């Protein structure tokens, strides 16, 4: 599974921790390092850049980290076909995949510590969409999204 990650200025340390964690687990993770080319970038353009790479199929899963995780989730969800959620607990991280089929996990470096963040990422990566009763709900979300994007 190809995973992509990025963060804003509030989460540089936690992003390193998560990359190290994923690498040790044998995962293939790509750091877009948007701040490396534009050091004063705000979270919207950083999150949007990553979401486009989920949308075009370059990566299957994405992780976005900012101060709260909120802004990153908001911007990633503005890219059609990309679904993101903030998770600061393991149950939500599992449900984000199992129930909501979201490709992007967001977290807040000012909200949780590195050990919990690592556990959340592990749980999220181990979870897959279950279909079943969740399928028509996700289908409805995609249908309504088409209306929202004017198609
Ligand atoms: C800091 O820029 C803060 O606004 C950002 O990291 C994030 O928490 C926004 O949702």
């Amino acid at each position: 599974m190809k995973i992509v990650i990025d963060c804003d200025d509030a989460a540089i340390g936690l992003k390193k921790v998560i990359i190290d964690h994923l690498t040790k687990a044998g995962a293939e993770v790509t750091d877009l390092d948007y701040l490396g080319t534009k050091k004063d970038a705000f979270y919207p353009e950083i999150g949007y850049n990553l979401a486009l790479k989920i949308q075009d199929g370059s990566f299957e899963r994405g992780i976005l980290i900012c101060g709260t995780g909120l802004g990153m989730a908001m911007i990633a969800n503005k890219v059609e076909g990309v679904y993101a959620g903030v998770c600061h607990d393991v149950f939500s991280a599992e449900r984000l995949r199992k129930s909501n089929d979201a490709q992007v996990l967001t977290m807040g470096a000012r909200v949780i510590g590195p050990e919990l963040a690592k556990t959340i990422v592990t749980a999220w990566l181990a979870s897959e969409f279950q279909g079943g009763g969740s399928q028509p709900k996700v289908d409805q979300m995609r249908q309504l999204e088409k209306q929202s994007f004017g198609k």
Side-chain angles (χ1 to χ4, degrees), residues 99-139:
S99 300
N100 306 110
D101 200 17
Q103 314 100 318
V104 178
L105 166 71
T106 77
M107 297 182 291
R110 294 174 180 162
V111 182
I112 54 170
E115 294 309 315
L116 177 55
K118 287 193 284 187
T119 307
I120 286 168
V121 167
T122 298
W124 172 75
L125 273 181
S127 303
E128 281 302 340
F129 183 54
Q130 289 181 330
S134 294
Q135 188 66 58
K137 297 167 189 170
V138 167
D139 289 345

Side-chain angles (χ1 to χ4, degrees), residues 34-56:
Y34 196 94
L35 288 174
T37 50
K38 189 177 176 189
K39 67 178 173 50
D40 58 350
F42 293 155
Y43 69 82
E45 63 185 299
I46 298 168
Y48 192 76
N49 177 59
L50 182 144
L52 288 179
K53 295 189 186 309
I54 297 291
Q55 186 189 48
D56 72 12

Side-chain angles (χ1 to χ4, degrees), residues 52-124:
L52 288 179
K53 295 189 186 309
I54 297 291
Q55 186 189 48
D56 72 12
S58 301
F59 297 92
E60 296 160 80
R61 302 271 196 104
I63 300 171
L64 283 166
I65 317 172
C66 59
T68 60
L70 298 170
M72 287 296 197
M74 291 166 75
I75 189 64
N77 280 310
K78 297 206 179 299
V79 175
E80 188 176 12
V82 177
Y83 309 100
V86 190
C87 295
H88 291 139
D89 67 274
V90 169
F91 180 75
S92 298
E94 288 175 352
R95 297 325 304 182
L96 187 67
R97 286 295 312 146
K98 292 181 178 179
S99 300
N100 306 110
D101 200 17
Q103 314 100 318
V104 178
L105 166 71
T106 77
M107 297 182 291
R110 294 174 180 162
V111 182
I112 54 170
E115 294 309 315
L116 177 55
K118 287 193 284 187
T119 307
I120 286 168
V121 167
T122 298
W124 172 75

